[in-house]
Amino acid sequence: MSEEGKQNSKIEIKDSKGVVIGDNNTVTIIFQNGDQHVIPFLAPPHPPYDLIGRDNLLFDLKQKLFTGGSFALSALNGIPGVGKTALALELAYDPDVLKHFSDGILWASLGRGGDVLSQLGVWGNAVGISSDAMAKLLSIEDRARAIHTTIGMRRMLLIVDDAWESIAASAFKVGGPNCAHLVTTRLYEVAGDFAGKKLIVVHELREEDGIHLLEKLAPDVVKLEPKEALELVRAVGGLPLALILIGKYLWKEAHAGQARRISATLKRLHKTEERLLLNLQQGILEQHPSLPKGSSISLQAVIQISDDALDKASRGTLRALSVFPSKPNTFSEEAAIEVARATPTTLDNLTASGLVETIGNGRYMIHQTIVEYARLKLKDRNISQRMVNYFVSYVSNNELNYKMIDVEFTNIVRSLEIAFQIGIWSLFERGVMDLYNYLDNRGLYEIADTQMGYAEQVLRSQNASTGLAIVLYNLGKIKTFRGEYKLAADYLTESISLSRNINDNRRCSLALIALGWVACELGDFVKARDILDEGLDLAQKNGYRDITSYALQGLGAVAIRTGNYTYAQRLYKDSLALAKSNSNKGLANNLMAEMGWIEITIGNYKDAEGYFREALNVARELEHHERICYILQGLGVCADKQGNYETAKTSWSEALDIARKSGLRGHISALLHNLGGMLAVTGDYELAKEYLGESLVVAREIGDRSRIGFLLSILGWIGIKQGNYSQARDNIREGLELARSIGYHFLVCDLLNKQGELCLEEQQAELALSAFLEALEIAQRLGSTELTSSTLYGLSRAEYLQGNTMAAFQYGRESLDSFERSGSYMVDEVRRWLRTFN
């Protein structure tokens, strides 16, 4: 058949892979005109499962081989078990590949110590050189030359699987100008020598592809236990061989469909040893080239091949490096040398072997399965001790350099876990204490909670009052940020008691102020003021200027909640002056944010935005996640009050993402409240109720009575808008009782306005007028432009309902003037209302 005829042909689909496998290592291709073409095909049998998650990689590889010019080369490189051979097999059986390389597929499985001469003999027979002729060619060079000559202008794909030496791999570069060559190897140097820049690194599967692969192999298990399946994918780092072994084992164990048996099997697979020893018997033609004939394949076996190839020093380094967390975590060369007693040579050997990956900049990482393999063989406890020493010192030396801690954070946390597990108490305590400010700034409260909880156990066992007072104070702050106010109060109360017993006035004053903040968050403003005053007095007597500033800030927050804005502003200004005089950038930044909230409360949204933007720049510079969240919430409120809903949504969504990641339950509740309120204003009541309902659940859980009151207020307003007056009345009544009980005057005024709105809807003019008049008295006493404006608008409509047109118009005119001064989105609505008087 002519070359043109072949190019216009197609492969007839005779099985799932599109080819008919013949005898004597051949396949038959059937062309459109009915002609048949028998070609050599030396690839092993195709696995009985589909290749998952490799479509893009397969496409790119085909393009490299199809368009490689006169001498197309490529190499697949990756760690043991990543699927290099499976990808090469998929390529060999691909109909497009068989059509393009229409004269055959040659395959050589080398393995460690493979017989190049014999493999070339097989290739020679496949291309038409007789056995007798091959027997007379006694050298690799002679056989390679003869095969090259025989191939000539044929179109063939030549694949060398599991190459361990560059010289051996290069011996198979025997194709002609129409051929392509592919090698698979776990050794980066071999891949580079063979294909240069055309090498392709094969990575592990993404989580979704790993789940898909498990689903194909054990569908019933994945359907029954999807979370467990995902955990297994993560446990093996998406390594295809591991997932195939797990999938086949799950299928075998779960074939009866018994939930009890499936659960027991999954539990076993969470053990490292079980996963490493899972094995699969291979057929004669499927045998891994580096394993003894007749042996089964397992994770341990394929990793041990590389391990056995190492020299003693490199092998010891691999075991020592297993103390580091696995990929995607990285570690520095400096840490490796110090902790593992590694040398540049042993590190180079490990990266060359494919067992350790390098990512440049002197950093390395190791895949999960290799870490598990090496960790099981690690016996030297001194390595763990050295890791703790190294990273505790690292934190101490970089305590305020958060970017440096960012780089090694996972390793630091791991070293503290090790210190706690093996009882290196002094280093553990030092490391936890030094790391706390970083965790606080980064908003990593869950980790901080865990670490401080461990420290509490250690210090209680040692009756170490000084350290315990500090840890309990830190735990109190963490619980406050996480919205666990009752626990926070318990920790802080004990810290105060311990601090008094040891005459630690500084810690005592700090804990008192933190406890005052908790009382404020719980809406107990009288108690909050008393505790904060006590903390302020102690700080002032002892000359603690920074703590004095902190106490004034807390008292300012109470003043805001109780409606004394002028006093709050004075307290914040005094606090800010102290913070600046002490060069306390963090506290000054926080105070700028609080000034913004005061301006919001009195309706000065432009001024508030200015404070927040200035504060946000500093908070981002400090990378203080909780404060960024808090400030973004304020910016969102400014935008929302001015009708810029998309801007508000953007700010709140970013803040909510930070809050959820950091476990800031108080902020989560507040932001869901903000988003729900905005949706209510724009008329999306059902979605608004979803957000507000979630916010209310969190607020009730953490005991945030102020938040509960505001949420009941807006849910009452939605009930009014939807005509559900009974539900609206219940929400407003509960909210009003709560607001009066905690003395939150702003909230009382807000709920009275909602009560007035409900009465207007029900045509109860006198009751509406009564509610609005009480609200106006509170609003004017508080000096809140926002509340005053809304209340005047309500009074205007209540008077109109009673027939008092002149009074209605006067109240409406005052309301419009007030809304215009604050730049509120309500301006247009009030103007439309006033036009009804013309």
Side-chain angles (χ1 to χ4, degrees):
M1 171 178 282
S2 69
E3 198 66 33
E4 182 181 356
K6 292 181 182 180
Q7 291 302 310
N8 292 327
S9 66
K10 71 173 182 178
I11 297 171
E12 184 174 281
I13 306 300
K14 294 293 185 181
D15 68 3
S16 63
K17 296 302 169 188
V19 296
V20 182
I21 308 298
D23 297 326
N24 302 319
N25 294 321
T26 64
V27 297
T28 300
I29 301 179
I30 302 173
F31 297 96
Q32 285 179 329
N33 60 8
D35 288 349
Q36 297 185 9
H37 185 44
V38 180
I39 61 172
F41 189 85
L42 304 186
H46 193 281
Y49 43 80
D50 294 329
L51 198 67
I52 302 294
R54 301 300 195 196
D55 291 347
N56 292 337
L57 188 56
L58 187 64
F59 177 82
D60 291 343
L61 183 56
K62 285 161 63 173
Q63 296 310 303
K64 284 179 183 289
L65 297 176
F66 290 172
T67 60
S70 61
F71 202 57
L73 293 172
S74 193
L76 299 176
N77 172 243
I79 64 174
V82 80
K84 303 178 293 294
T85 299
L87 189 58
L89 277 170
E90 192 74 14
L91 190 75
Y93 280 85
D94 187 277
D96 294 334
V97 172
L98 283 164
K99 180 178 177 180
H100 186 86
F101 297 109
S102 53
D103 290 311
I105 308 291
L106 302 183
W107 183 291
S109 296
L110 278 184
R112 191 176 169 214
D115 189 342
V116 176
L117 192 68
S118 296
Q119 294 275 9
L120 285 172
V122 174
W123 279 23
N125 293 155
V127 298
I129 302 174
S130 68
S131 297
D132 289 341
M134 289 303 298
K136 294 175 183 178
L137 303 172
L138 303 179
S139 71
I140 291 174
E141 184 178 341
D142 288 343
R143 289 191 175 187
R145 187 177 296 109
I147 295 169
H148 174 73
T149 301
T150 304
I151 288 176
M153 300 301 292
R154 293 192 223 182
R155 290 182 176 274
M156 304 186 81
L157 174 61
L158 287 62
I159 300 174
V160 182
D161 184 38
D162 197 23
W164 282 74
E165 296 176 355
S166 296
I167 294 176
S170 297
F172 292 89
K173 289 182 179 180
V174 294
N178 294 319
C179 293
H181 300 74
L182 176 68
V183 69
T184 74
T185 177
R186 60 182 71 185
L187 306 178
Y188 187 84
E189 184 177 332
V190 173
D193 288 345
F194 189 88
K197 294 182 179 180
K198 295 182 180 179
L199 72 84
I200 296 174
V201 177
V202 184
H203 296 288
E204 306 83 71
L205 296 176
R206 298 175 302 171
E207 281 187 1
E208 54 265 39
D209 292 326
I211 287 291
H212 189 196
L213 178 54
L214 269 188
E215 195 173 29
K216 288 284 186 181
L217 296 168
D220 293 340
V221 176
V222 175
K223 183 177 180 180
L224 185 66
E225 297 282 359
K227 290 183 179 179
E228 288 288 332
L230 178 59
E231 286 303 310
L232 284 174
V233 172
R234 290 172 175 169
V236 298
L239 195 70
L241 175 59
L243 293 171
I244 290 167
L245 293 170
I246 288 171
K248 287 185 172 293
Y249 180 69
L250 285 172
W251 176 83
K252 182 176 69 174
E253 292 296 308
H255 71 279
Q258 294 181 348
R260 170 187 52 79
R261 185 167 178 174
I262 291 172
S263 178
T265 302
L266 289 167
K267 188 175 180 180
R268 285 197 302 275
L269 288 175
H270 280 295
K271 297 179 180 178
T272 298
E273 298 93 330
E274 292 285 344
R275 293 196 301 269
L276 286 171
L277 293 174
L278 286 178
N279 64 82
L280 184 65
Q281 195 64 44
Q282 296 181 290
I284 295 174
L285 297 179
E286 301 171 312
Q287 188 69 45
H288 191 291
S290 291
L291 290 175
K293 289 185 178 179
S295 64
S296 57
I297 190 169
S298 69
L299 275 179
Q300 178 163 297
V302 297
I303 296 172
Q304 190 163 337
I305 295 166
S306 290
D307 191 30
D308 289 344
L310 297 172
D311 60 71
K312 184 178 179 180
S314 300
R315 197 176 299 127
T317 298
L318 178 66
R319 282 144 180 68
L321 292 176
S322 69
V323 296
F324 289 99
S326 61
K327 185 178 180 179
N329 176 65
T330 67
F331 52 89
S332 68
E333 185 167 300
E334 177 186 337
I337 289 171
E338 181 64 29
V339 174
R341 294 289 190 262
T343 66
T345 299
T346 58
L347 289 172
D348 290 345
N349 290 342
L350 290 172
T351 57
S353 72
L355 292 171
V356 173
E357 300 172 66
T358 179
I359 60 168
N361 298 321
R363 298 195 70 82
Y364 303 85
M365 60 185 177
I366 313 178
H367 189 269
Q368 177 72 23
T369 55
I370 298 171
V371 166
E372 290 176 344
Y373 168 90
R375 198 172 284 172
L376 286 175
K377 296 178 179 293
L378 179 63
K379 307 300 180 186
D380 187 354
R381 177 172 169 170
N382 291 328
I383 296 167
S384 295
Q385 173 82 53
R386 291 199 298 268
M387 183 175 188
V388 173
N389 288 337
Y390 179 84
F391 284 108
V392 169
S393 295
Y394 183 92
V395 173
S396 295
N397 295 333
N398 297 284
E399 188 176 354
L400 299 178
N401 190 341
Y402 295 160
K403 291 188 183 299
M404 291 291 287
I405 294 180
D406 284 341
V407 175
E408 299 290 357
F409 180 67
T410 305
N411 296 314
I412 292 166
V413 172
R414 172 63 180 157
S415 71
L416 292 175
E417 290 172 354
I418 291 172
F420 182 75
Q421 290 164 2
I422 65 179
I424 313 175
W425 305 130
S426 60
L427 284 175
F428 172 76
E429 182 184 346
R430 176 183 155 200
V432 168
M433 294 299 194
D434 288 346
L435 189 63
Y436 176 76
N437 284 333
Y438 168 87
L439 296 174
D440 183 21
N441 267 341
R442 287 290 191 263
L444 300 170
Y445 298 113
E446 185 173 352
I447 296 173
D449 202 352
T450 300
Q451 297 295 338
M452 284 293 156
Y454 290 154
E456 181 192 2
Q457 293 179 43
V458 172
L459 292 165
R460 285 193 189 281
S461 69
Q462 297 175 340
N463 293 316
S465 296
T466 300
L468 186 57
I470 297 171
V471 166
L472 292 171
Y473 168 72
N474 290 340
L475 280 167
K477 287 184 65 181
I478 292 165
K479 296 299 184 183
T480 301
F481 283 128
R482 301 190 75 183
E484 300 173 43
Y485 298 123
K486 292 180 181 178
L487 275 174
D490 290 341
Y491 281 122
L492 292 168
T493 300
E494 188 178 357
S495 178
I496 291 165
S497 177
L498 282 172
S499 299
R500 282 176 172 151
N501 289 340
I502 60 177
N503 295 315
D504 185 348
N505 290 326
R506 181 174 180 81
R507 185 63 50 191
C508 185
S509 59
L510 279 168
L512 281 165
I513 294 161
L515 185 61
W517 274 101
V518 171
C520 181
E521 292 295 339
L522 290 170
D524 195 341
F525 303 126
V526 174
K527 182 179 179 180
R529 190 183 297 110
D530 290 343
I531 297 172
L532 287 163
D533 279 336
E534 184 180 356
L536 175 63
D537 182 60
L538 186 59
Q540 288 176 329
K541 283 180 179 178
N542 287 276
Y544 304 142
R545 292 169 62 83
D546 56 335
I547 303 177
T548 298
S549 177
Y550 182 34
L552 291 171
Q553 182 188 358
L555 287 166
V558 174
I560 291 175
R561 305 282 179 95
T562 53
N564 198 338
Y565 303 123
T566 303
Y567 183 47
Q569 283 177 312
R570 187 166 74 248
L571 287 167
Y572 280 143
K573 286 177 181 177
D574 290 346
S575 178
L576 184 59
L578 277 171
K580 288 182 175 179
S581 70
N582 289 327
S583 300
N584 190 331
K585 195 173 185 179
L587 182 55
N589 173 243
N590 203 16
L591 286 160
M592 292 294 291
E594 294 298 340
M595 296 290 281
W597 283 106
I598 290 179
E599 296 298 334
I600 280 179
T601 306
I602 60 179
N604 296 334
Y605 306 127
K606 291 292 183 183
D607 290 344
E609 185 176 345
Y611 279 120
F612 284 130
R613 294 212 175 276
E614 184 178 346
L616 183 61
N617 290 335
V618 178
R620 291 198 190 279
E621 180 187 331
L622 295 172
E623 298 187 71
H624 196 302
H625 293 182
E626 187 274 336
R627 199 168 297 145
I628 292 169
C629 178
Y630 185 56
I631 296 166
L632 285 169
Q633 183 186 348
L635 279 170
V637 172
C638 289
D640 177 60
K641 294 296 185 182
Q642 296 174 85
N644 301 323
Y645 301 127
E646 284 303 315
T647 302
K649 182 180 179 182
T650 299
S651 293
W652 287 335
S653 297
E654 182 185 349
L656 184 60
D657 184 55
I658 294 170
R660 289 194 189 281
K661 287 178 180 177
S662 300
L664 302 169
R665 300 208 304 164
H667 287 307
I668 291 170
S669 180
L671 289 157
L672 288 168
H673 175 191
N674 295 144
L675 286 162
M678 182 183 70
L679 287 166
V681 170
T682 56
D684 193 345
Y685 300 129
E686 294 306 316
L687 185 56
K689 286 192 290 187
E690 287 183 28
Y691 278 106
L692 296 167
E694 184 184 350
S695 176
L696 185 58
V697 168
V698 177
R700 290 192 191 279
E701 287 174 351
I702 65 180
D704 187 345
R705 293 190 290 174
S706 302
R707 182 74 52 200
I708 294 168
F710 279 113
L711 288 164
L712 291 169
S713 174
I714 194 168
L715 285 168
W717 185 80
I718 291 174
I720 295 169
K721 291 297 183 182
Q722 291 190 310
N724 190 347
Y725 300 143
S726 175
Q727 185 65 55
R729 188 177 297 106
D730 289 343
N731 283 327
I732 293 168
R733 183 186 299 116
E734 181 187 350
L736 197 52
E737 288 174 0
L738 179 61
R740 291 190 195 278
S741 72
I742 63 177
Y744 199 160
H745 303 302
F746 184 99
L747 180 56
V748 170
C749 183
D750 179 71
L751 282 154
L752 284 169
N753 276 334
K754 299 299 191 301
Q755 190 177 70
E757 294 289 341
L758 176 61
C759 293
L760 286 175
E761 291 292 327
E762 294 183 313
Q763 301 293 299
Q764 297 175 337
E766 288 189 15
L767 289 176
L769 195 61
S770 174
F772 286 128
L773 285 170
E774 184 183 353
L776 182 61
E777 188 274 327
I778 297 172
Q780 290 177 334
R781 177 159 43 86
L782 292 175
S784 172
T785 303
E786 178 185 9
L787 288 175
T788 300
S789 305
S790 299
T791 307
L792 288 167
Y793 181 41
L795 280 167
S796 175
R797 287 171 293 143
E799 292 285 12
Y800 187 84
L801 188 60
Q802 284 198 316
N804 302 326
T805 308
M806 290 187 63
F809 181 79
Q810 182 60 36
Y811 279 131
R813 185 69 253 178
E814 290 179 37
S815 171
L816 178 61
D817 291 342
S818 185
F819 275 132
E820 284 180 334
R821 283 195 298 273
S822 66
S824 172
Y825 68 93
M826 288 292 294
V827 167
D828 289 341
E829 180 177 333
V830 178
R831 281 176 179 163
R832 285 194 297 271
W833 165 249
L834 288 173
R835 290 192 194 105
T836 63
F837 291 89
N838 295 333

